[in-house]
Amino acid sequence: MKVVAQIKQPIITEMELFEKKFSNSMTSKVALLNRITHYIVNRKGKQMRPMFVFLVSKMVSDGLVNDRTYRGASVIELIHTATLVHDDVVDDSNRRRGFFSINALWKNKIAVLVGDYLLSKGLLLSIDNGDFDLLKIISVAVREMSEGELLQIEKARKLDITEDVYYEIIRQKTATLIAACCAMGAKSVNASDEEVENLRLFGEYIGMAFQIKDDLFDYGDTQIGKPTGIDIKEQKMTLPLIYALNHCTKQEKKWVINSIKNHNKDKKRVKEVIAFVKKTGGLEYAITQMKSYQEKALKLLEIYPQSTYKDSLELMVNYVIDRKK
């Protein structure tokens, strides 16, 4: 059995019902919108975020979920989908998960409006049902994701990212949404504030490990859907690169920064930068940091009794850093 199918096993019924509810939550009176949302639903990814919501809620409540859990999962997925649609416009990207992106098929104007529509549907789903506690969790995540993206853009111009700033960027950009999923799962079944915070932190640590793993793919030799060296070409400062820049001579640092600023379209130069980062120990350092977040996440689960839901969450933590793409 594939790992993702194994993780999904204890919540298979919930995920099937969720997919129906999620699809219904997107409907509109506008035929064009329905055509686009139908396209989105049929090209869904692994749906890791709703899986976190259901696994956490079932782990803390002895296997129970309720309507709030389903709404929480739908809100997360609606808002996550909205951010992906907007991201493709921002990045001028024509592909998403191997398919054409919304902006490639229907142009930027429509893509931005569809993203706005999904965002508002998510907010209204919470408001109409009085889930203000869940709405607060997701609203904080959306604010942080926007701040993280803008912080990264601001820092990319100067290429002066410290390791601390890098962690703050990935915490906001990536980890905050997974943290929101876990907090949402616990909150939906009325867990205590302390437990909600504990699981929010659990999600944050997984998100940090997930993003560092993504950064490592930039230096890999396997095809994972994004070409090697793409972060360097896009002038993104990732952990292996930051480490290398902090552990080299002034001369080497000058050469790397010049390469990224002025020669980032030169394939040979990009390959040289990748080789330099590997030689300086950037990859080993990033792997160590990633594993440290993995261990912190697993430690937070120790207080919970053994269950199939806890097993799946542990499997998910390990999958995040062992995945091949």
Side-chain angles (χ1 to χ4, degrees), residues 68-181:
R68 269 162 57 84
T69 318
Y70 284 101
R71 288 196 297 270
S74 292
V75 169
I76 288 270
E77 198 66 354
L78 280 164
I79 285 172
H80 174 58
T81 309
T83 60
L84 294 183
V85 172
H86 282 165
D87 277 353
D88 288 338
V89 175
V90 171
D91 298 337
D92 202 14
S93 172
N94 290 325
R95 313 285 291 183
R96 166 73 59 187
R97 299 184 185 122
F99 297 99
F100 282 115
S101 57
I102 304 300
N103 48 304
L105 292 172
W106 284 281
K107 302 288 177 263
N108 284 350
K109 190 175 180 178
I110 288 177
V112 170
L113 294 168
V114 167
D116 291 346
Y117 172 77
L118 295 173
L119 201 59
S120 65
K121 281 296 246 188
L123 301 176
L124 284 167
L125 185 60
S126 295
I127 292 166
D128 292 345
N129 291 284
D131 299 329
F132 298 109
D133 50 350
L134 304 186
L135 182 59
K136 183 169 184 184
I137 291 170
I138 193 63
S139 300
V140 168
V142 173
R143 182 195 71 205
E144 293 216 311
M145 285 156 70
S146 311
E147 283 178 351
E149 285 287 355
L150 288 161
L151 179 59
Q152 184 171 45
I153 290 167
E154 178 194 330
K155 292 295 178 183
R157 288 179 178 161
K158 293 182 188 164
L159 296 184
D160 64 346
I161 295 188
T162 61
E163 205 172 310
D164 285 347
V165 171
Y166 165 81
Y167 289 132
E168 185 54 16
I169 288 171
I170 69 166
R171 186 191 68 74
Q172 291 187 314
K173 259 186 65 176
T174 305
T176 194
L177 191 61
I178 298 175
C181 296

Side-chain angles (χ1 to χ4, degrees), residues 203-220:
E204 187 174 288
Y205 291 152
I206 297 176
M208 300 292 277
F210 180 91
Q211 188 56 55
I212 296 172
K213 176 72 174 182
D214 244 27
D215 293 349
L216 284 162
F217 282 138
D218 206 44
Y219 295 87

Side-chain angles (χ1 to χ4, degrees), residues 232-288:
I232 293 167
K233 290 185 186 104
E234 291 175 359
Q235 301 186 343
K236 280 183 188 161
M237 297 286 278
T238 59
L239 191 55
L241 183 59
I242 292 165
Y243 179 86
L245 286 173
N246 289 336
H247 294 81
C248 64
T249 65
K250 268 191 176 169
Q251 209 55 40
E252 287 170 327
K253 187 172 184 173
K254 209 172 154 184
W255 172 81
V256 172
I257 291 200
N258 179 34
S259 303
I260 295 167
K261 273 193 168 168
N262 305 313
H263 305 281
N264 58 341
K265 301 286 185 279
D266 177 342
K267 280 185 183 167
K268 183 171 170 286
R269 193 76 171 252
V270 168
K271 270 188 179 161
E272 285 168 3
V273 172
I274 289 173
F276 172 77
V277 171
K278 285 180 178 174
K279 190 187 81 187
T280 321
L283 266 60
E284 285 88 347
Y285 180 74
I287 289 167
T288 307

